[in-house]
């Protein structure tokens, strides 16, 4: 039997495609960090997060979305149009960042004016993040609408309690797995953790593999190397992790939605109210939090994972993280470098190669 | 042949009057703020009507950015943003205004400089606006009040027909409930922090004046759409429409909108034309080229091509009017989906087609800037409806990225496509 880590890494190579579970269930591709996946599980649909591919062209994405949008969204759109995700019954999009929202509008409009494009119907779940009661009430309404829509699609009631419990368990295990990379030396690389967290598996299978991974922890290799905290843009693929770790670094923490950022509090037993609150308070992401919140979070996370170097990676077309950097640097007591306007899937590591990387 | 000047000619009385008023208003505002009154800096999509009602002096971030740009100072302010470590390539409209907060000598800015605001308000649209205003909110003495920017899953297409009275249908109750609640809270916040009162009767008056102003713009737009040749080009109409927009809810703005309508009507009656040799009617899509307004007139002499349409008059005509018994909800309806009208398909795309048809447009020049706002679908809808579209790429605030070759490209396109 392969190790749990090997099985998780194998499942990660299938990112952007459906898992092997129940072939009769409807298939939903979703976009962004703010889709309440618990509801998709509760509806009994097969759901997976749509990811881009920096190695295949996305000219059609450029055409429909314009080149000012995060290339991840452009790539996802191009792959949808190329049928790379297989047959999808629905697409669910969140408003986690401007690129996701523009992607939703493009999908909605293409569905309307170019029915020949073969795109399924897209649905927007508009979860917002200002820390106010007005926003909390709005989110609760949107969560309720989405739950009702899912019931209408599938024609059956949601099993919310069971789904939330399963996702909470997965979250708890992922937080435990994150401790393995915080160990000194790290027992998981950043690239491995990305695979562990984003393996494409039904929740119960994912949970079983995570349990086995933790049981096998003392067989995991040790990873020395300069300990890096990776801040900034989302990483829907391992390319940038591989580039940074290929030069003697190990990424021990990050603050984006495919990594350690979303392993926060469990949803618990509060039903839709609790779910709405959890998604309201998720983050702090580069796209929805203030620079001050991001800086405070970075200082705490860097301390917890014993990072020696802070790298803020900002993809060209994804400008929000660059606004966080001055505050983040001021809040840290380790060197910090900014990689600005990076090409999708690449990292210009010149700054990391300097002995003293701070630009000041 | 009259010479075609590369600087724009403000030939309307209302344009001159609006420009003069703007200077007076700003001088007066500076005086009031110097005398200790509160000052608010608002994004364009923030309901100013609240501040008008409470008589709190305010200015609009986008207006200030356009003034700075017209004075060739945007590069300077972006440099100040860069010096603090922030990106100078991101959301330059708001970054330029933030830069004026960082200047060591604020009074060295245009028109004596922007006073330091006590309150800054924006809607949290995109990924960056809230961050910029929040950073500003950390400057000494500045408080930031954010509003959400919410989105709707399904919308009816014909917003321009629904908005005046049936805005509840167009915008949807979720967004209206949210923004109405945020505005009620904003009023309480302003009452508390400024000590000023919010009178409902005054509020209704402000809302009525705003609707009257936009109704005059609507009548002017109808004249411009129908008249051949065009009585004026976008260069003439932009100052007469835009500047009063920042004073929405005043008698001055309402009256100026009426006088603008009368000027247009008099020109039509007298048979006056922006370009009597009119051979092509052009539509401009995108923000105005503030630093080069003469651009719009460069194609008149050689080609008889006149820019008769820009979003400024058209959105004034269609985008603001909201009637209803509950003025706070009507105000929320004005702003809860404001930018969708211009930038989000299907609203934007279908509206531009409607406007191109009603104005007898021969060709469309589309200024595509890096901010990602559904422009493909606008161009696609116009092309599908039979209008030739030329896309040019530039960001209108950043003079560093504008390219003089654009003039050549537009000329070539006029010859090869529009007039061929
Ligand atoms: S400035 Fe140089 S010495 Fe100081 S923390 Fe940064 S890298 Fe180290
Ligand atoms: S072409 Fe137009 S601008 Fe040129 S002289 Fe004739 S009317 Fe005037």
């Amino acid at each position: 039997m392969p190790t749990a880590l090997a099985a998780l890494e194998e499942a990660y190579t299938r990112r952007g495609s459906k898992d092997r579970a129940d072939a009769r269930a409807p298939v939903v591709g979703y976009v962004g960090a703010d889709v309440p996946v618990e509801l998709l599980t509760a509806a009994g649909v097969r759901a997976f997060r749509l990811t881009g591919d920096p190695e295949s062209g996305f000219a059609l994405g450029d055409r429909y979305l314009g080149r000012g949008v995060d290339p991840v969204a452009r790539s996802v759109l191009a792959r949808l149009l190329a049928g790379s995700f297989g047959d999808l019954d629905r697409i669910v999009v969140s408003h986690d960042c401007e690129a996701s929202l523009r992607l939703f509008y493009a999908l909605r409009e293409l569905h309307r004016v170019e029915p020949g494009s073969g795109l399924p119907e897209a649905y927007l779940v508009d979860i917002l993040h200002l820390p106010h009661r007005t926003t909390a009430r709005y989110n609760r309404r949107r969560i309720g609408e989405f739950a009702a829509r899912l019931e209408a699609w599938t024609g059956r009631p949601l099993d919310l309690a069971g789904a939330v419990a399963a996702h909470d368990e997965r979250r708890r295990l992922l937080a435990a797995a994150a401790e393995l990379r915080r160990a000194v030396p790290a027992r998981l690389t950043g690239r491995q953790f990305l695979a562990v967290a984003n393996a494409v598996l039904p929740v119960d299978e994912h949970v079983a593999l995570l349990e086995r991974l933790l049981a096998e922890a003392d067989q995991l290799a040790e990873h020395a190397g300069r300990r890096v905290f990776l801040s900034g843009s989302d990483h829907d693929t391992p390319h940038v992790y591989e580039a940074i770790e290929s030069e003697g670094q190990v990424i021990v923490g990050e603050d984006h939605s495919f990594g350690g950022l979303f392993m926060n509090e469990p949803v618990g037993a509060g039903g839709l109210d609790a779910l709405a609150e959890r998604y309201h308070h998720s983050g702090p992401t580069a796209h929805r939090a203030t620079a001050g919140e991001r800086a405070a979070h970075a200082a705490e996370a860097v301390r917890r994972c014993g990072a020696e170097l802070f790298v803020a990676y900002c993809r060209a077309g994804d400008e929000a993280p660059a606004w966080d950097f001055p505050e983040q640097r001021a809040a840290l007591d380790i060197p910090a470098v900014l990689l600005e306007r990076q090409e999708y899937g690449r990292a210009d590591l010149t700054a990391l190669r300097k002995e003293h990387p701070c630009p000041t | 042949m009259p010479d075609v000047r590369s600087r724009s000619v403000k030939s309307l009385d209302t344009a001159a009057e609006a420009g003069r008023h703007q200077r007076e208003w700003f001088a007066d505002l500076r005086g009031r703020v110097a005398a200790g009154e509160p000052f608010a800096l608002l994004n364009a999509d923030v309901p100013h009507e609240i501040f008008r009602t409470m008589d709190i002096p305010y200015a609009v971030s986008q207006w200030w950015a356009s003034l700075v740009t017209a004075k060739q100072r945007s590069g300077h302010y972006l440099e100040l943003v860069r010096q603090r470590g922030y990106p100078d390539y991101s959301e330059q409209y708001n970054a330029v205004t933030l830069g004026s907060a960082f200047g060591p000598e604020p009074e060295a800015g245009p028109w004596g400089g922007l006073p330091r605001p006590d309150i800054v308000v924006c809607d949290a649209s995109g990924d960056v606006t809230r961050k910029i205003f929040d950073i500003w909110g950390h400057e000494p003495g500045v408080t930031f009040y954010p509003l959400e920017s919410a989105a709707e899953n399904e919308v009816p297409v014909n917003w321009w027909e629904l908005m005046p009275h049936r805005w509840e249908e167009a915008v949807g109750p979720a967004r209206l409930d949210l923004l109405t609640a945020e505005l009620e809270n904003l009023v309480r916040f302003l009452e508390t922090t400024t000590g000023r009162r919010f009178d409902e009767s005054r509020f209704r008056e402000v809302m009525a004046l705003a609707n009257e102003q936009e109704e005059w713009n609507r009548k002017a737009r109808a004249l411009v759409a129908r008249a051949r040749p065009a009585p004026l080009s976008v260069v003439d109409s932009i100052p007469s429409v835009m500047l009063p927009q920042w004073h929405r809810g005043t008698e001055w703005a309402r009256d100026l909108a009426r006088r603008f309508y009368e000027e247009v009507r008099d020109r039509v009656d007298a048979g006056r034309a922006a370009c009597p040799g009119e051979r092509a009617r052009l539509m401009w899509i995108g923000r105005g080229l503030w630093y080069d307004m003469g651009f719009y007139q460069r194609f008149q002499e050689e080609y008889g091509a006149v820019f008769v349409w820009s979003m400024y008059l058209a959105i004034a005509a269609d985008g603001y009017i909201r009637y209803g018994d509950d003025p706070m909800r009507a105000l929320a309806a004005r702003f809860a989906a404001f930018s969708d009208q211009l930038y989000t398909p299907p609203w934007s795309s279908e509206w531009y087609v409607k406007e191109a048809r009603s104005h007898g447009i021969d060709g469309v020049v589309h200024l595509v800037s890096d901010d990602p706002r559904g422009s493909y679908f606008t161009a696609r809808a116009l092309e599908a409806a039979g209008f030739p579209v030329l896309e040019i790429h530039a960001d209108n605030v950043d003079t560093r990225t504008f390219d003089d070759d654009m003039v050549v490209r537009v000329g070539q396109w006029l010859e090869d496509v529009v007039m061929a």
Side-chain angles (χ1 to χ4, degrees):
Chain A
M1 184 157 77
T3 63
L5 181 59
L8 287 160
E9 291 196 281
E10 194 276 326
Y12 180 59
T13 62
R14 284 184 273 114
R15 67 184 174 278
S17 62
K18 50 188 176 261
D19 60 57
R20 293 150 306 174
D22 189 357
R24 290 154 308 169
V27 182
V28 172
Y30 68 90
V31 175
D34 280 339
V35 172
V37 286
E38 290 83 351
L39 289 176
L40 294 170
T41 302
V45 302
R46 297 155 69 195
F48 63 95
R49 187 165 174 180
L50 302 182
T51 51
D53 176 11
E55 286 170 43
S56 58
F58 41 88
L60 272 185
D62 290 356
R63 178 166 158 212
Y64 293 128
L65 289 171
R67 294 172 57 87
V69 181
D70 187 344
V72 172
R74 292 184 262 150
S75 179
V76 166
L77 179 55
R79 299 185 77 203
L80 277 166
L81 290 163
S84 309
F85 299 112
D87 285 336
L88 299 175
D89 295 294
R90 293 283 197 288
I91 302 171
V92 176
V93 185
S94 67
H95 190 175
D96 62 330
C97 63
E98 181 68 6
S100 295
L101 183 65
R102 296 314 318 185
L103 174 57
F104 167 74
Y105 289 144
L107 292 170
R108 183 174 75 182
E109 189 67 352
L110 283 167
H111 189 74
R112 188 179 78 96
V113 299
E114 288 177 22
S117 61
L119 290 169
E121 187 186 321
Y123 183 89
L124 178 74
V125 188
D126 192 35
I127 300 297
L128 304 176
H129 290 283
L130 287 184
H132 302 299
R133 181 160 182 271
T134 39
T135 298
R137 282 197 312 232
Y138 178 84
N139 287 342
R140 177 62 184 81
R141 175 185 203 142
R142 292 306 196 190
I143 291 267
E145 287 171 357
F146 182 45
R149 180 66 67 104
L150 282 168
E151 290 185 332
W153 280 350
T154 61
R156 60 182 208 206
L158 301 176
D159 170 20
L160 185 59
V164 165
H167 282 273
D168 276 352
E169 178 62 3
R170 172 158 76 177
R171 222 171 260 130
R172 187 184 70 76
L173 293 167
L174 281 172
E179 288 301 327
L180 296 175
R181 57 203 297 230
R182 293 200 197 102
V184 183
R187 304 303 290 273
L188 284 175
T189 65
R191 166 69 176 79
Q192 286 170 339
F193 183 77
L194 211 52
V196 165
N198 297 286
V200 181
L201 293 165
V203 186
D204 51 347
E205 282 180 42
H206 200 181
V207 162
L209 275 178
L210 290 170
E211 280 167 346
R212 194 145 72 78
L213 174 77
L214 294 169
E216 293 168 1
D218 45 7
Q219 297 160 41
L220 294 169
E222 298 187 339
H223 303 281
R226 185 159 59 164
R227 299 170 68 85
V228 166
F229 185 90
L230 182 62
S231 181
S233 297
D234 275 318
H235 294 278
D236 60 328
T237 76
H239 292 77
V240 169
Y241 278 63
E242 286 165 0
I244 291 175
E245 293 191 325
S246 72
E247 299 205 352
Q249 272 115 191
V250 54
I251 298 170
V252 292
E254 66 277 291
D255 56 10
H256 64 84
S257 71
F258 288 90
L261 183 60
F262 273 51
M263 272 132 236
N264 43 16
E265 297 298 297
V267 175
L272 292 178
D273 292 342
L275 198 62
E277 281 171 16
R278 181 189 175 274
Y279 279 91
H280 185 190
H281 300 314
S282 69
T285 70
H287 308 99
R288 289 295 172 260
T290 65
E293 290 163 346
R294 293 277 294 167
H297 178 268
E300 164 69 12
V302 158
R303 192 187 53 71
R304 281 183 64 203
C305 61
E308 300 160 314
L309 175 66
F310 180 89
V311 177
Y313 176 95
C314 313
R315 211 164 22 243
D318 182 28
E319 294 164 358
W323 287 95
D324 293 332
F325 184 69
E327 263 89 331
Q328 288 175 321
R329 182 170 57 185
L332 296 171
D333 51 14
I334 59 170
V337 291
L338 173 64
L339 308 182
E340 262 180 308
R341 300 166 106 164
Q342 301 290 300
E343 207 182 313
Y344 182 30
R346 291 169 190 263
D348 174 5
L349 300 178
T350 319
L352 272 66
R353 294 184 189 121
K354 294 181 190 149
E355 204 178 332
H356 295 292
C358 285
T360 44
Chain B
M1 277 259 168
D3 66 321
V4 174
R5 276 156 277 193
S6 65
R7 294 203 69 93
S8 67
V9 194
K10 285 183 190 146
S11 59
L12 290 186
D13 288 348
T14 47
E17 157 68 13
R20 189 189 53 73
H21 174 271
Q22 195 69 4
R23 282 179 173 277
E24 280 175 17
W25 158 79
F26 194 67
D28 177 63
L29 179 146
R30 284 176 46 81
R32 289 177 64 181
V33 176
E37 292 199 47
F39 174 49
L41 200 290
L42 314 177
N43 226 7
D45 288 0
V46 167
H48 315 158
E49 288 80 349
I50 303 259
F51 295 81
R52 171 85 54 222
T53 300
M54 302 178 78
D55 195 27
I56 296 169
Y58 69 86
V60 176
S61 173
Q62 280 89 337
W63 164 73
W64 178 255
S66 66
L67 177 68
V68 163
T69 305
K71 301 284 178 201
Q72 323 273 338
R73 297 275 287 170
S74 56
H76 167 70
Y77 286 118
L78 289 172
E79 178 56 30
L80 294 177
V81 168
R82 186 83 236 176
Q83 281 170 13
R84 298 267 186 127
Y86 299 114
D88 58 1
Y89 51 83
S90 170
E91 208 168 297
Q92 292 173 329
Y93 240 91
N94 286 313
V96 160
T97 314
L98 176 68
S100 31
F102 294 157
E105 295 174 283
E107 56 293 343
W111 292 8
L114 189 70
R116 184 184 56 75
D118 302 284
I119 306 153
V120 295
V121 187
C122 77
D123 67 320
S125 59
D127 300 331
V128 168
T129 309
R130 178 186 172 215
K131 279 184 192 287
I132 294 180
F133 277 74
D134 175 77
I135 288 164
W136 204 344
H138 286 94
E139 293 293 300
V142 184
T143 304
F144 168 44
Y145 191 100
L147 301 169
E148 284 289 11
S149 179
E152 190 54 76
N153 188 50
E154 284 141 357
V155 289
V157 171
N158 58 334
W159 65 267
W160 56 91
E161 290 163 6
L162 296 174
M163 282 299 189
H165 296 277
R166 293 161 63 192
W167 38 261
E168 186 85 33
E169 267 169 76
V171 181
R175 286 191 287 186
L176 290 173
D177 286 353
L178 171 61
L179 185 52
T180 305
E182 290 184 307
L183 294 181
E184 297 285 3
N185 290 346
L186 174 61
V187 168
R188 179 68 170 256
F189 169 78
L190 293 172
E191 287 167 338
T192 308
T193 55
T194 69
R196 306 213 166 184
R197 303 287 292 267
F198 185 93
D199 288 322
E200 195 73 8
S201 53
R202 172 73 183 132
F203 184 38
R204 286 181 187 277
E205 199 174 277
V206 166
M207 289 298 286
L209 282 166
N211 281 335
E212 287 168 34
Q213 175 181 342
E214 315 299 347
E215 290 283 8
W216 286 114
N217 284 156
R218 209 173 172 98
K219 294 174 73 141
R221 192 262 313 261
L223 278 182
V224 172
R226 272 200 312 270
R228 303 286 184 286
L232 74 178
S233 87
V234 294
V235 179
D236 305 310
S237 61
I238 285 177
S240 299
V241 175
M242 277 288 280
L243 293 175
Q245 205 58 265
W246 308 135
H247 301 278
R248 213 170 36 248
T250 64
E251 287 175 10
W252 176 83
R254 189 263 325 264
D255 293 345
L256 197 96
R258 188 187 61 229
R259 284 173 49 206
F260 171 65
Y261 161 75
E262 289 164 356
E263 274 192 294
V264 176
R265 185 197 58 200
D266 292 349
R267 283 185 164 222
V268 173
D269 290 350
R272 287 184 63 194
C275 173
E278 175 177 307
R279 292 193 290 141
R281 297 164 65 82
L282 302 179
M283 178 177 216
W284 175 261
I285 299 189
R287 290 167 172 168
L289 290 174
W290 303 120
Y291 52 88
D292 189 16
M293 292 293 278
F295 178 89
Y296 296 108
Q297 292 170 321
R298 280 197 202 130
F299 311 98
Q300 290 183 190
E301 176 155 6
E302 197 173 340
Y303 302 101
V306 195
F307 280 96
V308 301
W309 192 96
S310 81
M311 67 174 170
Y312 297 104
L313 177 56
I315 197 64
D318 282 336
Y320 290 89
I321 296 170
R322 302 288 186 277
Y323 295 107
D325 293 336
D326 177 349
M328 194 62 87
R329 199 165 177 87
L331 180 60
R334 179 173 289 157
F335 288 100
F338 190 84
S339 67
D340 287 354
Q341 298 174 145
L342 290 166
Y343 300 113
T344 302
W347 280 13
S348 50
S349 45
E350 297 294 333
W351 180 66
Y352 280 102
V353 169
K354 175 208 72 138
E355 286 293 290
R357 288 196 174 121
S358 66
H359 284 71
I361 292 298
D362 299 300
V364 180
V365 179
H366 183 186
L367 180 81
V368 183
S369 67
D370 268 350
D371 76 20
R373 306 217 266 179
S375 50
Y376 166 81
F377 293 101
T378 301
R380 183 203 175 283
L382 286 161
E383 273 168 349
F387 300 100
V389 178
L390 175 73
E391 294 202 340
I392 62 179
H393 292 256
D395 189 301
N396 69 323
V397 169
D398 192 353
T399 50
R400 296 170 305 184
T401 62
F402 190 67
D403 188 349
D404 255 344
D405 298 347
M406 294 304 172
V407 176
V408 179
R409 277 192 58 211
V410 173
Q412 201 65 49
W413 168 77
L414 286 170
E415 280 175 29
D416 297 348
V417 180
V418 178
M419 321 193 55

